[in-house]
Amino acid sequence: MKKSLWFVIGFAIYAGLMWFYLFQGADANLPVDLKGSAADPKVFMTDRELELSTDFSRIKDFIYFISVPLEWLIYLFVLGFGLSKWFRKTSSGLTKFSIVHTGLYVLLLSFASWVLTFPLRYYSFTVSKSYNISVQSFHSWMRDGLVDFWINWLLTTVMVAVMYWLIKKYEKRWWLYAWLLSVPFTLFLYFIQPVVIDPLYNKFYPLQDEVLKGKILDIAERADIPAENVYEVNMSEKTNALNAYVNGIGSNLRIVLWDTTLNKLSDNQVLFVMAHEIGHYVMNHLYWNLISSVVLSFLGLWLGNIIYRKWVEKYGKSWGIKGIGDLAALPALLLIFSLLSFAVSPVENAVSRKAERDADLYAIQMTNNPKAAVGAFQELATVSLSEVNPPKLVKWFLYGHPTMLERIHFLDSYKTSKKME
């Protein structure tokens, strides 16, 4: 109980410091040499839009930096107060089938986490609504949340069942066998994502603008992308934000545009955005992402196993855990993986930002229309209330893309350099 109190006090202090950093202490002033340039938000945003973008971004950033340690606190709470032991006892007493035990345990743990994090998720939803980024109804938001819950429950149950079977059968090298099995599983998820999982959340249909579709497919053909169609998704039912992407592998490759992007951007701006997404495919970023996830999962499982053993050895008795093969130890394992994921995220984001910069360069070379490129990002920043120059800590942990300041300045500089040639 005393340790739990100290964790809560520590969390409250951390939240206060993070609030001060984001709302008072962070320096997000524009570099002097960029004032008045195309990257200066005062050039393409009104004073009101500037105020809203700053407030909205800082609130959403704060929610993120609170939600991550809250997840850790929940796992510690479930372990420290004996809930995990009770979940295991309850689930094992209902049936003799171990897969059912696992499914019930994961359901109880997932539900406890879902309930405890619901207020913060709901607050995030209401913030997006109040700033007119989200236009989604509460019913639709809850539906998406429940779909997400059950998909995660199913995937987690399968992974946990396999993992703990391996721990019991191969106690010393379970992590290696788990990693080997995760490779085809990850490939499978990449393959089915566009055609099985994504349609559970939104409706996808072929792009209705045949002229624009032809221009996009022309870029895809020049890039040797095996795409026969371009898909539109009806995101305007949920959000005013803009997006487009290429995902999937093999025959399930999909080029997708949000209908909000089509409604807000000109055709030339849309072509730049799609050329950017196509650039990811051309430079094999999708496959590099897959390879990096495989490598990181190897390192994560290896290091996670070491920490997991030490934690169970040191704290297992007080948690009511019988050993590393005890399902009641799952929150400790999930906590370790979450900590490792958070720790490595700045490196992952830095690599991702480099890939995004390369895709921007590919797109501008493919379309040769810097004005449309700059305009696309200016419009995206305005509509999505994106903070053009976020604090460094936010950039390190949250930005897998270059900041809007960096992207617009890069494209504007490209425009200038082209004029000088």
Side-chain angles (χ1 to χ4, degrees):
M1 182 67 72
K2 192 174 181 180
K3 285 184 179 180
S4 300
L5 180 60
W6 279 113
F7 280 129
V8 172
I9 292 173
F11 178 77
I13 293 172
Y14 161 81
L17 291 173
M18 188 55 64
W19 181 91
F20 178 81
Y21 171 77
L22 291 172
F23 292 94
Q24 301 293 331
D27 179 18
N29 291 325
L30 205 68
V32 176
D33 59 318
L34 294 183
K35 289 185 177 179
S37 70
D40 186 346
K42 291 184 178 179
V43 170
F44 58 89
M45 284 185 178
T46 65
D47 290 342
R48 180 58 177 162
E49 287 169 341
L50 274 171
E51 181 184 357
L52 290 173
S53 68
T54 300
D55 292 346
F56 175 71
S57 297
R58 297 298 172 87
I59 293 172
K60 296 293 281 189
D61 295 340
F62 181 69
I63 291 172
Y64 167 78
F65 282 110
I66 290 299
S67 65
V68 174
L70 177 61
E71 177 190 3
W72 304 339
L73 202 62
I74 290 170
Y75 289 143
L76 289 172
F77 173 84
V78 169
L79 288 166
F81 284 86
L83 285 177
S84 186
K85 182 174 65 173
W86 183 82
F87 291 161
R88 182 241 292 143
K89 183 179 179 181
T90 301
S91 59
S92 62
L94 296 178
T95 175
K96 63 181 181 179
F97 298 106
S98 61
I99 184 64
V100 179
H101 297 170
T102 304
L104 289 172
Y105 176 91
V106 172
L107 180 61
L108 290 169
L109 179 62
S110 300
F111 183 71
S113 179
W114 188 87
V115 169
L116 291 171
T117 58
F118 181 82
L120 193 60
R121 285 183 285 109
Y122 178 70
Y123 175 62
S124 179
F125 166 69
T126 58
V127 167
S128 295
K129 288 275 287 187
S130 63
Y131 281 85
N132 202 34
I133 297 300
S134 173
V135 295
Q136 191 173 16
S137 67
F138 176 76
H139 177 269
S140 174
W141 176 75
M142 279 295 295
R143 178 192 174 279
D144 283 353
L146 290 173
V147 169
D148 196 45
F149 176 88
W150 288 112
I151 289 176
N152 287 334
W153 169 77
L154 179 61
L155 294 177
T156 303
T157 296
V158 172
M159 290 187 290
V160 169
V162 171
M163 194 162 51
Y164 274 88
W165 179 80
L166 290 172
I167 289 174
K168 291 175 181 177
K169 192 170 181 64
Y170 310 101
E171 185 175 325
K172 291 185 177 180
R173 294 190 178 274
W174 70 268
W175 63 272
L176 180 60
Y177 298 122
W179 174 74
L180 290 172
L181 289 173
S182 75
V183 175
F185 184 69
T186 302
L187 281 168
F188 175 70
L189 289 181
Y190 266 71
F191 186 74
I192 68 168
Q193 176 83 31
V195 295
V196 176
I197 299 177
D198 289 347
L200 294 175
Y201 296 89
N202 300 290
K203 296 177 182 177
F204 291 78
Y205 41 86
L207 180 61
Q208 297 175 351
D209 187 333
E210 293 294 334
V211 175
L212 181 59
K213 181 196 293 186
K215 292 178 180 179
I216 294 172
L217 289 176
D218 179 62
I219 295 176
E221 185 178 357
R222 284 190 283 152
D224 291 327
I225 287 188
E228 299 179 356
N229 214 331
V230 180
Y231 292 87
E232 184 178 343
V233 55
N234 63 329
M235 290 301 296
S236 58
E237 294 181 356
K238 299 179 180 180
T239 182
N240 286 320
L242 314 181
N243 200 9
Y245 58 88
V246 175
N247 73 340
I249 56 176
S251 59
N252 281 356
L253 179 76
R254 293 290 185 270
I255 301 175
V256 180
L257 273 163
W258 287 13
D259 60 346
T260 50
T261 304
L262 293 167
N263 296 335
K264 294 289 185 179
L265 300 186
S266 68
D267 282 5
N268 285 335
Q269 291 171 341
V270 170
L271 290 175
F272 169 80
V273 170
M274 293 314 300
H276 167 94
E277 299 301 334
I278 287 170
H280 284 307
Y281 180 87
V282 171
M283 291 179 279
N284 296 314
H285 290 162
L286 296 175
Y287 294 99
W288 281 113
N289 284 343
L290 179 60
I291 292 170
S292 66
S293 69
V294 169
V295 172
L296 286 175
S297 66
F298 175 86
L299 296 174
L301 283 164
W302 169 71
L303 185 56
N305 169 60
I306 295 173
I307 301 172
Y308 180 55
R309 289 176 180 277
K310 291 182 177 179
W311 279 18
V312 171
E313 182 181 341
K314 187 173 183 179
Y315 304 110
K317 188 175 181 180
S318 62
W319 289 340
I321 292 171
K322 302 172 184 177
I324 64 170
D326 188 349
L327 191 58
L330 178 60
L333 194 57
L334 294 176
L335 171 58
I336 291 166
F337 289 152
S338 181
L339 286 166
L340 292 175
S341 177
F342 182 75
V344 80
S345 60
V347 177
E348 289 182 300
N349 286 336
V351 173
S352 177
R353 288 195 295 271
K354 173 62 168 61
E356 295 294 338
R357 171 60 62 86
D358 292 343
D360 281 347
L361 178 59
Y362 176 89
I364 197 66
Q365 291 173 341
M366 177 69 80
T367 59
N368 196 29
N369 193 339
K371 182 179 178 181
V374 169
F377 283 125
Q378 288 177 335
E379 184 67 19
L380 194 153
T382 302
V383 171
S384 302
L385 294 181
S386 302
E387 189 172 17
V388 174
N389 188 30
K392 287 185 178 179
L393 197 62
V394 174
K395 176 183 173 181
W396 294 341
F397 281 95
L398 285 175
Y399 275 61
H401 293 71
T403 66
M404 284 298 178
L405 179 74
E406 294 167 336
R407 301 184 88 169
I408 296 173
H409 174 60
F410 171 71
L411 295 168
D412 192 48
S413 299
Y414 183 89
K415 178 176 66 177
T416 305
S417 66
K418 290 293 288 184
K419 286 182 178 178
M420 294 175 64
E421 292 178 0

